Amino acid sequence: MRKEWLFVLFVLLLMNSCVNRKPVDLIVTNATVYTVDNTFSKVESFAVVNGKIAATGTATDILAKYTSENILDAEEKYVYPGFNDAHCHFNGYGENLMQYADLRGTSGPDEIYSVIRAHHEKFGGEWLLGRSWDQNDWQAAGFPDKTKLDELFPETPVYLVRVDGHAGWCNSKALELAGITVATKVAGGMVEIKNGEPTGILIDNAMGLVSRLIPDSSREQQKKGLLEAQKSCFTAGLTSVTDCGLGKNTILLIKEMQNGGELKMRINAMLNPTEENFEFFVKDGPEKNERLVVSTIKLFADGALGSRGALLLKDYSDDPGNSGIQIEGQEYYDRICQLAYDNHFAVATHAIGDSANRLVLNTYARFLKEKNDRRWRIEHAQIIDSDDFEKFARYSIVPSVQATHATSDMYWAGDRLGEKRLKNGAYAYQTLLKQNGWLPNGTDFPVERIEPLFTFCASVFRTDPSGWPEGGFLKEEGLSREQALRSMTIWPAKASFEENEKGSLEPGKWADFVILDTDLMTADQGEVLKAKIESTWIAGEKVFGN
């Protein structure tokens, strides 16, 4: 009798437990979940309802309180907030996939000629386009010229963009169509001249003379490119990106695709500084919804270090007489900063050289005046004079860095800067972090590779995949593992004023997460580089993985 009574009591308790458990859309359990909350806590399980985290805790607690038809056994794998690239070119990456020959990692001009010939034979087109060559990777590290391009493509205009996007390599046909001659001068740019004629190399603003002639992608091409870019992001564990510089029509297309459900990516869309964008977006104030933020104007102060366009306080160590290029005059920056300030927009300015960073810091200071929550940004913040670091803190200016730039540039950065400048303010992420206590991190893809795990390795280990240099490049300026993970999740969310909606796995935030087979908090570099993205989720919906 007693056994029967106990059985009945067990059944009643079980039924009562089932009745009281709250139904949710998804339960993730049997995992190590790095929530990336304020205390960097770990949990075993969480519940998702209506696309948001309902609760986190032990597996026992979550399963006791919630029930779901969808229970995901993570099989003791590792869960992180969805990775967020704080600086990239999402639309440009998609367009590259559709139109441009991939020249990354080529060993020299001869290999490039082979790649672009094959590309042109396969795709044809009015123009022959390519992206991501880097003369610093070649045995002869000087800029190439147009001679062989002219021989191979006498009637087809050729335009090949350097890896940093700040130099173009053209043939004579492209120069002819653009009207470029030995007499051409461009403010904020340079046409390289040798032996009394253009070589085919265009730096910074001079590139626009040719690039503006290239036919725009069709609407269908652009849509396909955006979807391909999204696919690559999901495969890499990215659920959010900041696209650094877009036009009105592209942003409207993104919004249309997001509203239609095709584009699930969360995007912080920075505006190109055009009058069309100012009239359509800025004067109505910032826009923010579940998938799209439009609240920042993107500017350029200088060029890139690799093409010697970064603006330095003193000449390049390997190019006496050249201190780089200032893209625009002071009045230009003042006018746009005033427009942004008056309309509660943020400003994000590309600044690599120490002179460019000083220019931007001082310009921002005139508008911000003191500590604030405007979250104006400097993109790259790559070389800072020691006297200028404290201005980031004094005016609450956000340094937005890309750790893989350090490990890509480290082979030749010392040649450009000299050892003193290199060791006293270059790629100084730990020093920058101390100014405000946080900094967002990105890849700048397609300039660098798209994978956030490379960002993590470059931030923490500061070496290339082979482990060079021993001990790490300027290792004292590297980030800790926790700092690196925050820089790829919650801090980019904060940079776009979305830290209350995403960036950590806490109740009330979007259930954007990624599952890996590797513990980033303990794995060595080789293990991190081999880590597998098991699945990627946005709002509790799986967008990549088996």
Side-chain angles (χ1 to χ4, degrees):
M1 184 70 177
R2 178 177 172 79
K3 288 182 179 180
E4 292 176 359
W5 179 84
L6 287 173
F7 177 74
V8 171
L9 179 62
F10 173 76
V11 172
L12 289 172
L13 288 170
L14 184 62
M15 291 174 63
N16 183 60
S17 175
C18 291
V19 169
N20 290 332
R21 286 194 295 168
K22 182 179 179 180
V24 293
D25 301 320
L26 173 69
I27 293 173
V28 177
T29 190
N30 192 22
T32 298
V33 182
Y34 285 97
T35 66
V36 194
D37 61 5
N38 287 337
T39 61
F40 206 68
S41 65
K42 292 190 291 185
V43 299
E44 295 176 327
S45 182
F46 58 91
V48 178
V49 64
N50 295 326
K52 294 185 177 181
I53 304 289
T56 64
T58 66
T60 301
D61 286 345
I62 294 298
L63 291 172
K65 295 176 182 177
Y66 300 95
T67 182
S68 178
E69 295 180 0
N70 299 305
I71 297 180
L72 174 63
D73 181 353
E75 299 177 338
E76 300 184 343
K77 293 185 172 68
Y78 303 88
V79 180
Y80 308 88
F83 298 139
N84 186 339
D85 195 311
H87 180 116
C88 71
H89 302 276
F90 179 75
N91 177 68
Y93 176 86
E95 288 192 330
N96 282 0
L97 292 175
M98 296 297 102
Q99 299 184 71
Y100 285 69
D102 184 5
L103 308 179
R104 185 182 303 278
T106 45
S107 59
D110 287 343
E111 185 178 354
I112 287 175
Y113 302 140
S114 177
V115 170
I116 60 177
R117 287 177 70 175
H119 179 85
H120 192 55
E121 288 172 5
K122 183 176 181 179
F123 296 104
E126 297 177 42
W127 284 72
L128 174 49
L129 307 174
R131 174 80 195 230
S132 295
W133 58 273
D134 186 353
Q135 84 282 3
N136 293 310
D137 292 340
W138 306 343
Q139 188 170 2
F143 276 136
D145 63 30
K146 63 184 180 177
T147 305
K148 187 68 174 181
L149 294 179
D150 289 348
E151 179 184 324
L152 295 172
F153 307 101
E155 298 301 325
T156 301
V158 179
Y159 181 65
L160 311 176
V161 181
R162 190 181 182 275
V163 64
D164 57 13
H166 288 269
W169 174 18
C170 309
N171 67 347
S172 291
K173 189 66 177 180
L175 298 176
E176 175 191 331
L177 292 173
I180 294 172
T181 69
V182 68
T184 301
K185 304 293 181 185
V186 183
M190 183 183 73
V191 177
E192 186 182 66
I193 304 295
K194 285 186 179 179
N195 301 320
E197 64 174 330
T199 65
I201 294 295
L202 309 176
I203 307 294
D204 288 310
N205 281 356
M207 298 168 66
L209 299 175
V210 170
S211 63
R212 67 189 179 193
L213 302 177
I214 298 169
D216 291 336
S217 302
S218 69
R219 179 180 172 84
E220 287 307 309
Q221 279 181 313
Q222 192 172 17
K223 287 182 69 173
K224 186 175 180 182
L226 288 166
L227 293 175
E228 287 297 313
Q230 174 177 256
K231 182 179 177 181
S232 294
C233 285
F234 290 164
T235 302
L238 285 162
T239 57
S240 294
V241 296
T242 290
D243 196 323
C244 293
L246 295 172
K248 171 190 166 186
N249 291 338
T250 297
I251 294 174
L252 294 180
L253 177 60
I254 286 171
K255 185 186 295 188
E256 176 187 311
M257 293 174 68
Q258 288 175 329
N259 291 340
E262 295 176 276
L263 201 60
K264 301 179 187 297
M265 200 75 191
R266 302 194 198 278
I267 299 173
N268 175 31
M270 291 184 177
L271 300 175
N272 286 329
T274 65
E275 294 303 319
E276 181 179 48
N277 275 343
F278 296 158
E279 289 296 325
F280 192 87
F281 294 107
V282 177
K283 293 185 178 178
D284 286 336
E287 176 181 348
K288 177 181 175 182
N289 61 43
E290 294 176 359
R291 304 240 181 232
L292 182 67
V293 174
V294 183
S295 64
T296 305
I297 302 171
K298 170 70 185 308
L299 304 177
F300 284 86
D302 65 347
L305 192 67
S307 48
R308 296 187 184 85
L311 187 65
L312 303 179
L313 292 169
K314 296 181 181 178
D315 289 353
Y316 281 84
S317 294
D318 59 356
D319 191 11
N322 176 21
S323 59
I325 296 171
Q326 181 173 322
I327 300 296
E328 303 287 351
Q330 186 66 57
E331 291 184 4
Y332 172 88
Y333 300 117
D334 289 344
R335 179 178 71 85
I336 294 177
C337 285
Q338 187 69 63
L339 176 72
Y341 191 89
D342 291 345
N343 290 280
H344 302 284
F345 260 67
V347 183
T349 306
H350 164 116
I352 288 183
D354 48 11
S355 183
N357 276 281
R358 179 173 290 179
L359 167 70
V360 179
L361 288 165
N362 291 342
T363 300
Y364 285 5
R366 289 196 292 276
F367 295 91
L368 301 174
K369 295 182 172 57
E370 59 188 2
K371 287 187 179 294
N372 60 85
D373 195 34
R374 293 274 185 161
R375 305 185 196 180
W376 287 23
R377 304 163 53 153
I378 293 184
E379 302 302 312
H380 310 305
Q382 201 160 295
I383 305 154
I384 313 294
D385 186 83
S386 58
D387 291 339
D388 291 329
F389 279 106
E390 59 86 20
K391 296 174 186 175
F392 286 92
R394 192 192 312 176
Y395 303 108
S396 304
I397 295 167
V398 181
S400 172
V401 305
Q402 300 77 45
T404 47
H405 284 348
T407 51
S408 290
D409 296 359
M410 63 185 179
Y411 307 101
W412 46 262
D415 295 335
R416 298 283 192 276
L417 300 173
E419 288 302 308
K420 184 176 180 181
R421 272 187 296 193
L422 183 68
K423 294 180 178 179
N424 292 280
Y427 311 94
Y429 305 147
Q430 195 62 235
T431 303
L432 287 167
L433 174 60
K434 290 175 183 176
Q435 305 310 309
N436 296 310
W438 64 285
L439 84 171
N441 204 341
T443 64
D444 205 5
F445 74 76
V447 173
E448 300 282 359
R449 289 181 54 162
I450 195 171
E451 294 88 352
L453 293 179
F454 281 78
T455 301
F456 186 87
C457 282
S459 299
V460 174
F461 302 108
R462 303 277 285 205
T463 71
D464 63 19
S466 73
W468 189 91
E470 185 177 354
F473 173 65
L474 304 174
K475 184 62 184 296
E476 67 279 4
E477 291 292 353
L479 303 179
S480 72
R481 293 171 188 262
E482 178 181 333
Q483 290 166 348
L485 187 56
R486 289 188 183 281
S487 78
M488 297 158 52
T489 54
I490 188 64
W491 290 340
K494 184 175 182 178
S496 57
F497 290 89
E498 297 177 281
E499 71 271 26
N500 294 322
E501 291 83 27
K502 64 183 185 182
S504 60
L505 298 175
E506 299 179 83
K509 292 191 177 185
W510 291 111
D512 298 351
F513 60 96
V514 59
I515 302 178
L516 273 67
D517 66 351
T518 301
D519 187 348
L520 298 179
M521 296 301 106
T522 61
D524 64 28
Q525 182 176 12
E527 291 169 332
V528 174
L529 291 173
K530 293 177 183 177
K532 180 182 178 183
I533 309 292
E534 299 281 351
S535 56
T536 304
W537 302 68
I538 291 184
E541 175 189 354
K542 184 160 61 175
V543 293
F544 167 75
N546 297 324

